[in-house]
Amino acid sequence: MGRLFGTDGVRGVANTELTASLAFDIGRAAAFVLGENDKKPVMVIGRDTRISGDMLENALTAGVLSVGGDVIKLGIVPTPAVAYLVRKYNADAGVVISASHNPFEYNGIKLFNGEGYKLDDSVEQEIEAIILGEKEISTDEFVGAKLGTCREDDASAIKQYTDFLLSTIDKRLDGIKVVLDTANGAVFETAHVVYEALGAEVTVLSDSPDGININDDCGSTHPEKLQQKVVELGADVGFAYDGDADRLIVVDEQGRIIDGDRVLCICGKYLKSRGLLATDKITATVMSNIGLHKHLKEYGIGVDVTKVGDRYVLESMRETGSVLGGEQSGHMIFLNYTTTGDGVLSSLQFMKAYLDSGKKLSELRDEIQIYPQALVNARVDNAFKATALEDEEVKKFIADIEAKMEGTGRVLIRPSGTEPLIRVMLEGEDIDEIQGYAEQVAALISDKFGR
């Protein structure tokens, strides 16, 4: 990854790490690169509900306009809506201002190309070179009529996106009780519209954003209230999205979590039964549970394994022809319909598989044996995030634990792509044992390389 762009764009604390000045520079550089060869670039911009969204949106817009680019503001829309609408509007790029599942004080800027895919590394590097002053650009010509223009299209954007979502499902949901947790985020005006249009009995949680309550004790990273509400109402299913609505967590009628691994299993089997699972494989990351691999193998379904990050899942899918991929955390890509993770679309595809099965959701869940996993985050200084695992003491400590677990589990340790953390994951048969090991490894890394 580049120096500014990580696996999921540029991200940091708003107004200290991700400043209005940096947002202006990103907009200016991106529009200049996309506008080379005398082309006037058009960029669509969407954002989530964070209080810093207005500041960054306006700064980034100013940067685009300053080099002759035009901007269409979509307003508050999910990340996948931008990926869809950039194609619908025939724009040259889409910009999402969001920090996804992170706390409200963070924000981020992510760029899509005109086909709705994340920008190629080479394009990001060219943009970075301009921002960092390594490549000079002249803006003297952008005066008078050559400046860009801006228009707002938020109402139309939401309508077009919800119409698209509804086109991906051919089943009615009359009589189905659904609870939605929209994380006080970008999908608060979208998800309920879709489910109500399909006839479901809808209850919505965390749909009153105030700029600072996004992801706050709600959404896909905190589904506890959703679990309680599903049981309280006797609902059939619950869905939790994150701040920018590109991930999904499912809750069964008993209030139990169905994570991304189980969703992949259920949807993968459904697609194969309909002859729609290209290559008879799904795509998952190294974090996916060994239970996913064993369960899918029983149904003749293979798994292509990638590095963690929806970017890498998508890259693999495009290379192999896979139509279904995702992460344990709830990022799902249904490549027959869209180019990126989409929580609401994923929940609709899940509903198709669920209704087709004729079973209770709890029954579908329990068919899949998931092995215990322990995940502990070690907070580290960003300067050491990439090198901490090369430390000899850390390497030996990990090797000793792997030797103790040989044949009964595995150890996976990786730097976070978006936060100053190293994620320590152990998988095995005894949850108490692996939790203890994970905490020991995380403590050692934090003690040596923490802030």
Side-chain angles (χ1 to χ4, degrees), residues 166-239:
L166 287 168
S167 74
T168 71
I169 182 169
D170 57 358
K171 296 180 182 292
R172 293 285 301 172
L173 305 181
D174 300 283
I176 303 293
K177 290 185 178 181
V178 179
V179 184
L180 306 173
D181 183 338
T182 63
N184 292 313
V187 80
F188 83 100
E189 292 182 302
T190 306
H192 73 91
V193 171
V194 174
Y195 277 92
E196 288 166 358
L198 292 169
E201 298 179 27
V202 182
T203 300
V204 188
L205 307 178
S206 305
D207 62 339
S208 301
D210 61 10
I212 63 175
N213 63 358
I214 185 171
N215 300 315
D216 185 14
D217 196 27
C218 59
S220 62
T221 53
H222 296 283
E224 296 82 11
K225 292 177 181 176
L226 174 64
Q227 293 173 270
Q228 294 170 6
K229 184 60 71 171
V230 166
V231 174
E232 174 188 324
L233 297 178
D236 298 288
V237 62
F239 295 120

Side-chain angles (χ1 to χ4, degrees), residues 67-277:
V67 291
D70 290 340
V71 168
I72 303 172
K73 288 185 177 181
L74 305 177
I76 295 173
V77 294
T79 286
V82 176
Y84 169 73
L85 292 168
V86 71
R87 306 190 303 275
K88 190 78 173 178
Y89 285 96
N90 197 30
D92 297 287
V95 185
V96 177
I97 300 172
S98 173
S100 188
H101 59 284
N102 291 152
F104 84 94
E105 61 266 27
Y106 287 84
N107 217 324
I109 295 174
K110 177 164 55 180
L111 302 173
F112 292 103
N113 65 21
E115 296 179 335
Y117 295 105
K118 292 180 182 178
L119 287 185
D120 291 339
D121 289 348
S122 60
V123 179
E124 287 187 349
Q125 289 165 7
E126 191 173 354
I127 293 170
E128 282 187 346
I130 294 172
I131 296 171
L132 298 174
E134 298 168 357
K135 178 181 177 181
E136 294 294 329
I137 63 173
S138 173
T139 58
D140 294 343
E141 64 178 290
F142 298 107
V143 295
K146 289 189 176 182
L147 289 171
T149 61
C150 175
R151 66 182 175 90
E152 297 185 2
D153 202 17
D154 49 348
S156 175
I158 290 176
K159 177 66 166 58
Q160 291 188 74
Y161 176 59
T162 54
D163 284 349
F164 158 68
L165 290 172
L166 287 168
S167 74
T168 71
I169 182 169
D170 57 358
K171 296 180 182 292
R172 293 285 301 172
L173 305 181
D174 300 283
I176 303 293
K177 290 185 178 181
V178 179
V179 184
L180 306 173
D181 183 338
T182 63
N184 292 313
V187 80
F188 83 100
E189 292 182 302
T190 306
H192 73 91
V193 171
V194 174
Y195 277 92
E196 288 166 358
L198 292 169
E201 298 179 27
V202 182
T203 300
V204 188
L205 307 178
S206 305
D207 62 339
S208 301
D210 61 10
I212 63 175
N213 63 358
I214 185 171
N215 300 315
D216 185 14
D217 196 27
C218 59
S220 62
T221 53
H222 296 283
E224 296 82 11
K225 292 177 181 176
L226 174 64
Q227 293 173 270
Q228 294 170 6
K229 184 60 71 171
V230 166
V231 174
E232 174 188 324
L233 297 178
D236 298 288
V237 62
F239 295 120
Y241 311 108
D242 64 335
D244 69 336
D246 66 353
R247 70 168 68 184
L248 167 73
I249 292 295
V250 184
V251 171
D252 73 10
E253 81 279 3
Q254 297 180 18
R256 298 179 301 168
I257 296 294
I258 299 177
D259 68 6
D261 281 347
R262 281 191 164 104
V263 171
L264 285 172
C265 287
I266 292 168
C267 291
K269 290 187 296 183
Y270 169 75
L271 289 174
K272 182 169 184 185
S273 72
R274 292 291 176 272
L276 299 174
L277 189 65

